[in-house]
Amino acid sequence: MAPESIAPARRAPGLSPSRANDFARCPLLFRFRVVDRLPEPPSSAAARGTLVHAVLDKVFDLPAAERTPLAARELLGPAWDELQVAEPSLASLFTDADGVREWLTSAGTLLETYFRLEDPRRLEPAERETYLEVGLEDGPLLRGVVDRIDVAPDGAVRVVDYKTGKAPSPRFRHEALFQVRFYGLMLWRARGQVPRRLQLVYLGDGQVLHNDPAAGDLEEAEREVRATWEAIRQAGRRGDFPTRRGPLCAWCAHQAVCPEFGGTPPPLDPARVELTLGVRPDGPA
């Protein structure tokens, strides 16, 4: 007798820092990315960010004495080749070798900024590119990838997140710190330890933002996460994800289907809402 087929377990609806920020920025963008899963064309800026992250990770695979700016630059080409194999669509970003060279040079500039901020020869990260998944009681499943976790000799934990853009103005710093507090919350709930420092390293302008949280700060972050998740689920129940126009709309990949630009969103699929958010729209979508 053939063995019974077993359907894979459905993944619980969850939330990541990036998608939480999407919803805060524009609920319709969140819907396009999470519910509809509309494709987005490759972006040279996003690809550069992925490349620089990959090289910074590979730098720590080298013996400590070899972690130099020159070694990092020499890793750029092979890392770019690997990235194109993993994501063939990136080949469409450039039309000639000069464009690729200029783009790789700009990535090298970001790496040089990193070496002005830290000396990786003096660091031995405890973890790199760590995937975390933590379920909040009566709340969402939190997901995210932490770039680096450092542990001091006394056991204190530092969470480090690399950014390849410039640091935000004071007006928008809460949004930036929300992401790293999100990571701190996950680590605390998963491992029972409050990180001593949460750090954002901006390679676009060499600024470093940090937050030294207490348990109360992470409890506040949890309340914010829960409130965001409830607002997302309410939008799903209503079947209504409104637009929120802002400065970043100029770079949005979904202008063609956005009402702010004269477009019409695709019909909302109730089954997708239920799968991704765990709720069904109250009425016809």
Side-chain angles (χ1 to χ4, degrees):
M1 180 182 295
E4 286 188 31
S5 62
I6 301 176
R10 177 182 291 185
R11 197 179 192 198
L15 189 64
S16 70
S18 297
R19 299 293 78 84
N21 277 334
D22 282 347
F23 186 82
R25 186 175 299 154
C26 175
L28 187 60
L29 175 63
F30 174 90
R31 180 200 141 176
F32 287 159
R33 285 179 166 171
V34 175
V35 180
D36 301 310
R37 295 190 178 275
L38 299 185
E40 297 186 5
S43 153
S44 61
R48 183 175 58 192
T50 301
L51 176 65
V52 169
H53 276 74
V55 170
L56 289 175
D57 185 41
K58 291 176 183 295
V59 162
F60 285 103
D61 287 333
L62 299 173
E66 297 177 18
R67 298 170 191 167
T68 64
L70 177 60
R73 278 190 172 275
E74 290 176 344
L75 290 169
L76 274 171
W80 172 230
D81 291 340
E82 291 177 14
L83 191 56
Q84 291 179 90
V85 170
E87 300 182 45
S89 63
L90 295 179
S92 66
L93 286 173
F94 306 103
T95 57
D96 55 46
D98 288 341
V100 176
R101 251 191 317 271
E102 290 177 8
W103 181 77
L104 287 174
T105 297
S106 70
T109 299
L110 295 175
L111 291 172
E112 288 174 0
T113 300
Y114 168 76
F115 279 88
R116 289 200 298 270
L117 298 172
E118 288 189 326
D119 184 353
R121 294 172 299 180
R122 299 168 62 90
L123 294 168
E124 288 299 339
E127 299 177 48
R128 291 177 277 133
E129 297 297 318
T130 299
Y131 176 74
L132 295 174
E133 191 170 277
V134 181
L136 295 182
E137 185 176 355
D138 299 322
L141 182 68
L142 308 184
R143 303 186 181 105
V145 178
V146 180
D147 291 338
R148 203 178 86 210
I149 298 174
D150 300 334
V151 179
D154 65 356
V157 170
R158 177 173 65 174
V159 174
V160 179
D161 191 52
Y162 307 121
K163 299 294 185 186
T164 50
K166 296 180 179 180
S169 67
R171 178 184 171 191
F172 296 104
R173 284 189 179 177
H174 175 80
E175 180 179 310
L177 289 172
F178 171 74
Q179 178 171 351
V180 77
R181 286 190 183 119
F182 195 114
Y183 294 141
L185 170 61
M186 284 194 289
L187 277 170
W188 181 40
R189 291 305 187 202
R191 304 180 184 181
Q193 182 178 7
V194 175
R196 179 174 295 176
R197 172 153 293 188
L198 307 172
Q199 184 164 298
L200 290 160
V201 179
Y202 287 91
L203 304 178
D205 58 7
Q207 292 194 53
V208 178
L209 302 183
H210 61 80
N211 177 246
D212 297 342
D217 298 317
L218 298 184
E219 288 171 348
E220 181 181 346
E222 181 173 328
R223 287 191 290 271
E224 187 172 352
V225 168
R226 287 180 180 275
T228 299
W229 181 242
E230 183 54 32
I232 290 169
R233 284 163 61 86
Q234 288 290 350
R237 291 188 186 97
R238 294 192 306 269
D240 179 27
F241 293 82
T243 61
R244 187 171 294 144
R245 190 150 189 161
L248 295 179
C249 288
W251 290 274
C252 183
H254 305 296
Q255 292 182 9
V257 288
C258 177
E260 294 288 341
F261 294 88
T264 301
L268 186 63
D269 183 346
R272 282 183 173 270
V273 174
E274 184 176 21
L275 179 65
T276 55
L277 307 181
V279 297
R280 288 188 67 83
D282 292 332

